[in-house]
Amino acid sequence: GAHFVDNLQAYIERKLFTVNTGHAATAYLGNAQNYKTIAETISNKELEEKVLYVLEETGKVLVAKYSFNPEEHNQYIYKIIGRFSNSHIIDDVKRVGRSPLRKLGRNDRLVAPALEYMEVFKTIPNNLVDVMAAALSFYSEDDQESVQLQQLIREKGVSEAFSEISGLEEKHELVKAVVSVYNK
């Protein structure tokens, strides 16, 4: 049942920008509304729609970059959302959201597709921006990175903190957009 491909990197990035981005988005958005599990979060139709919008943004990047069939990629997105909604899998929002410093890094699941989106489409990926702002608010006393994140924000302010974490200059459009949403 293995599916052999010519460009493995395309499928690795597809997994990162769909499964991992979607999982993180669900966790950070769910955490912001005090949901406990991924399945509970995705059962909220507004949040499910928001995660779908995030994956549409990352999907546009993948389709443009690797020429994935848009309809097949859309089916892949819905398959992943189906996994997230499985109520038999107890996947804790705090567990999935842990390590926000890494997940907000320049080459990881949130910032990397946002930068590529901006490069290809010359506009801000608003849904990814909303998730990054939610990630900056993430806190779990059991996750050292989230403790460090909140300390960094208290010490340096959200703009400087996000700039440092993402490796982007404070004046970068993405940093300004994320900070603007965070401050709202």
Side-chain angles (χ1 to χ4, degrees):
H3 178 75
F4 293 94
V5 295
D6 292 329
N7 184 350
L8 183 59
Q9 182 59 37
Y11 286 85
I12 291 170
E13 199 163 296
R14 178 181 171 184
K15 190 261 186 197
L16 176 66
F17 287 2
T18 309
V19 178
N20 297 32
T21 300
H23 214 206
T26 306
Y28 294 132
L29 294 170
N31 183 70
Q33 294 197 21
N34 297 313
Y35 283 101
K36 301 295 181 214
T37 69
I38 295 297
E40 288 173 352
T41 301
I42 213 75
S43 71
N44 176 312
K45 291 303 171 195
E46 287 179 26
L47 293 179
E48 177 189 37
E49 188 174 89
K50 186 67 166 180
V51 173
L52 283 169
Y53 289 151
V54 168
L55 296 181
E56 283 177 15
E57 289 173 343
T58 62
K60 286 179 182 179
V61 169
L62 293 165
V63 167
K65 187 173 181 179
Y66 296 113
S67 300
F68 284 118
N69 177 301
E71 290 173 17
E72 287 177 11
H73 185 72
N74 200 43
Q75 289 173 359
Y76 180 66
I77 288 171
Y78 278 92
K79 177 181 174 183
I80 299 309
I81 295 294
R83 286 185 198 166
F84 295 165
S85 65
N86 185 340
S87 61
H88 298 293
I89 299 173
I90 308 302
D91 209 355
D92 187 81
V93 163
K94 296 286 189 187
R95 184 200 68 78
V96 175
R98 69 181 171 209
S99 303
L101 296 176
R102 177 176 52 84
K103 292 175 182 169
L104 286 166
R106 185 181 187 119
N107 297 315
D108 212 286
R109 67 204 71 202
L110 300 173
V111 175
L115 292 172
E116 290 190 40
Y117 187 95
M118 292 172 69
E119 185 178 316
V120 173
F121 301 106
K122 310 298 183 214
T123 187
I124 300 285
N126 292 316
N127 297 290
L128 277 164
V129 165
D130 291 345
V131 170
M132 287 182 265
L136 287 169
S137 298
F138 181 77
Y139 174 77
S140 171
E141 64 185 24
D142 298 327
D143 176 48
Q144 188 56 40
E145 277 197 24
S146 72
V147 172
Q148 291 173 336
L149 170 62
Q150 297 313 313
Q151 183 177 349
L152 190 63
I153 291 172
R154 280 191 306 277
E155 291 172 1
K156 297 186 176 189
V158 69
S159 182
E160 188 177 341
F162 183 56
S163 172
E164 185 176 310
I165 295 162
S166 67
L168 301 172
E169 294 184 19
E170 275 189 81
K171 64 183 178 186
H172 193 283
E173 281 187 66
L174 185 60
V175 173
K176 291 193 281 188
V178 170
V179 170
S180 175
V181 170
Y182 177 91
N183 286 332
K184 287 179 186 171

